[in-house]
Every structure is written in C-alpha cells, then in structure tokens.
Amino acid sequence: MTTSIEVQTTTIKRSYKKHRSKEEIVANILIAARKSATKTRIMRGAYVSYNLLQKYLRYASVSGLIFYDHRINRYQITSKGMQYLNFFNQYQDTESDLALKKSIISKMLENNEGESTMPSLSMEETAF
C-alpha cells in the first residue's frame, strides 16, 4: 500500500502592498526620513529596492520634498514634504471613506435583491 504525502507550502503575505502608486512610494520615503535618515534606513523603512530609492529620492529632492544634509550624511524632510504627507493622508482618508460607502451600497443591494423596498405603482400612477 503506497501513500502519498502532500506537502503544503504557505506563502507569507507581506505587510506592504505589492503595487503602490508613485505618490504612495514617495510618502513612504518621506515617512522614513522624518527624523533624518540614511539611504539604508529609508530603503528599509519604505520597502523599496536601492534602484527605486535612487529614482524616488531624486524625484523628491527635485520637487523640494526632501533634502540631503552633507554635514551629517542624512536625508531630511522639508516643510513642503510635511505638507505633502498631510495632503496624502487626507487623500487616503477620503479614499477609505469612499471605499466604505461603496461597500455599504453594495451590501444594501445584496440584502434587498429578492425584495423591493420601492412601493409598487399602478399603471395609472405611472402615466404622465
């Protein structure tokens, strides 16, 4: 009698999103650089590769969101960068509110699928 042993492998879900927008990556970099940070600390805190870090640090620097302090060899967020984070957080809150409302609307449709909450009108009432 032969038995086969199946090995189940589990995948570990990452705590960060797989596909992030450019704005979200920049926000993650700015959050990591809030208290002045090296490239390595930003890279680890924002969950980006070195090549992506280089690209987005350049982008954020040119935009005036972050600057490199040569004296202490660290990146620091600017006041414009803090304003960016505030606007980005407001955007995320609005996006979350809209997603919640969409979910509620969908559930309302699902719950009332078989029954109509609208009063039925007779043919005379619908004539103009």
Side-chain angles (χ1 to χ4, degrees):
M1 176 179 233
T2 315
T3 59
S4 64
I5 300 173
E6 292 183 24
V7 178
Q8 291 184 339
T9 58
T10 58
T11 58
I12 299 171
K13 290 189 178 184
R14 296 177 180 166
S15 62
Y16 57 93
K17 294 180 181 176
K18 193 171 185 179
H19 300 286
R20 294 180 287 174
S21 67
K22 171 177 67 173
E23 294 81 11
E24 190 172 357
I25 293 172
V26 170
N28 292 147
I29 287 171
L30 294 176
I31 290 168
R34 257 195 256 180
K35 296 178 181 175
S36 97
T38 61
K39 280 185 183 180
T40 303
R41 187 164 304 273
I42 295 170
M43 186 174 80
R44 290 179 181 161
Y47 297 106
V48 293
S49 67
Y50 183 77
N51 289 335
L52 278 179
L53 178 68
Q54 291 290 93
K55 173 184 173 182
Y56 284 106
L57 277 177
R58 208 172 312 114
Y59 181 71
S61 293
V62 169
S63 300
L65 304 175
I66 198 170
F67 76 97
Y68 181 70
D69 190 345
H70 295 283
R71 293 173 295 151
I72 59 173
N73 197 25
R74 293 176 183 255
Y75 286 87
Q76 295 182 341
I77 190 170
T78 64
S79 59
K80 186 177 178 182
M82 291 299 292
Q83 186 179 26
Y84 176 94
L85 284 178
N86 288 334
F87 286 136
F88 184 78
N89 288 334
Q90 289 173 11
Y91 163 76
Q92 281 189 314
D93 291 345
T94 303
E95 189 177 45
S96 296
D97 288 345
L98 289 174
L100 176 63
K101 288 176 183 175
K102 182 180 179 186
S103 172
I104 291 169
I105 290 169
S106 295
K107 285 180 183 178
M108 291 172 83
L109 286 175
E110 289 172 8
N111 290 340
N112 296 324
E113 200 171 274
E115 55 191 68
S116 175
T117 57
M118 300 275 300
S120 58
L121 301 174
S122 65
M123 291 299 274
E124 294 85 28
E125 293 177 74
T126 57
F128 291 95

XYZ file of all heavy atoms in Angstrom, residues 102-117:
122
model
N -18.991 52.631 -0.695
C -19.262 51.730 -1.810
C -19.634 50.346 -1.290
O -20.554 49.702 -1.791
C -18.051 51.633 -2.733
C -18.278 50.750 -3.929
C -17.065 50.675 -4.814
C -17.346 49.747 -5.982
N -16.169 49.524 -6.794
N -18.922 49.894 -0.268
C -19.212 48.588 0.333
C -20.613 48.567 0.939
O -21.356 47.598 0.772
C -18.167 48.288 1.403
O -18.505 47.153 2.132
N -20.978 49.627 1.625
C -22.310 49.715 2.235
C -23.389 49.695 1.159
O -24.391 48.992 1.290
C -22.420 50.982 3.113
C -21.539 50.829 4.351
C -23.869 51.245 3.518
C -21.364 52.109 5.156
N -23.163 50.445 0.089
C -24.135 50.474 -1.016
C -24.284 49.089 -1.626
O -25.397 48.631 -1.897
C -23.706 51.512 -2.082
C -23.865 52.926 -1.524
C -24.495 51.348 -3.371
C -23.233 53.996 -2.383
N -23.169 48.406 -1.837
C -23.207 47.057 -2.407
C -23.971 46.104 -1.508
O -24.765 45.284 -1.981
C -21.798 46.528 -2.639
O -21.138 47.291 -3.611
N -23.734 46.197 -0.195
C -24.441 45.331 0.753
C -25.931 45.627 0.763
O -26.746 44.716 0.905
C -23.856 45.481 2.154
C -22.523 44.803 2.311
C -21.957 44.970 3.695
C -20.577 44.336 3.763
N -19.968 44.504 5.073
N -26.287 46.895 0.618
C -27.700 47.261 0.574
C -28.377 46.623 -0.633
O -29.509 46.145 -0.538
C -27.866 48.781 0.547
C -27.481 49.454 1.844
S -27.459 51.237 1.717
C -29.198 51.580 1.972
N -27.669 46.602 -1.746
C -28.221 45.977 -2.954
C -28.340 44.470 -2.777
O -29.310 43.863 -3.202
C -27.359 46.294 -4.172
C -27.469 47.707 -4.719
C -26.460 47.910 -5.841
C -28.875 48.004 -5.205
N -27.342 43.848 -2.150
C -27.358 42.396 -1.937
C -28.467 41.990 -0.985
O -29.149 41.003 -1.204
C -26.012 41.931 -1.377
C -24.887 41.995 -2.374
C -23.541 41.706 -1.738
O -23.498 41.316 -0.548
O -22.529 41.882 -2.424
N -28.654 42.750 0.070
C -29.665 42.415 1.080
C -31.088 42.533 0.531
O -31.970 41.823 0.956
C -29.524 43.313 2.307
C -28.272 43.014 3.095
O -27.710 41.940 2.967
N -27.830 43.958 3.899
N -31.297 43.432 -0.397
C -32.632 43.670 -0.913
C -32.823 43.087 -2.313
O -33.703 43.503 -3.039
C -32.932 45.172 -0.943
C -32.942 45.771 0.447
O -33.384 45.121 1.382
N -32.443 46.978 0.585
N -31.980 42.148 -2.670
C -32.024 41.594 -4.016
C -33.375 40.954 -4.326
O -33.931 41.142 -5.378
C -30.904 40.566 -4.185
C -30.551 40.292 -5.614
C -29.298 39.448 -5.679
O -28.207 40.028 -5.646
O -29.440 38.214 -5.765
N -33.929 40.187 -3.405
C -35.177 39.477 -3.644
C -36.402 40.317 -3.341
O -37.474 40.082 -3.871
N -36.245 41.281 -2.491
C -37.398 42.073 -2.095
C -37.223 43.520 -2.531
O -36.144 44.063 -2.495
C -37.575 42.001 -0.575
C -36.318 42.409 0.162
C -36.375 42.101 1.631
O -36.369 40.910 1.959
O -36.419 43.054 2.423
N -38.276 44.135 -2.938
C -38.212 45.510 -3.397
C -38.635 46.436 -2.274
O -39.662 46.224 -1.641
C -39.125 45.698 -4.611
O -39.158 47.051 -4.975
N -37.854 47.454 -2.007
C -38.214 48.425 -0.984
C -38.998 49.574 -1.585
O -39.543 50.388 -0.884
C -36.958 48.987 -0.291
O -36.105 49.566 -1.265
C -36.235 47.885 0.458
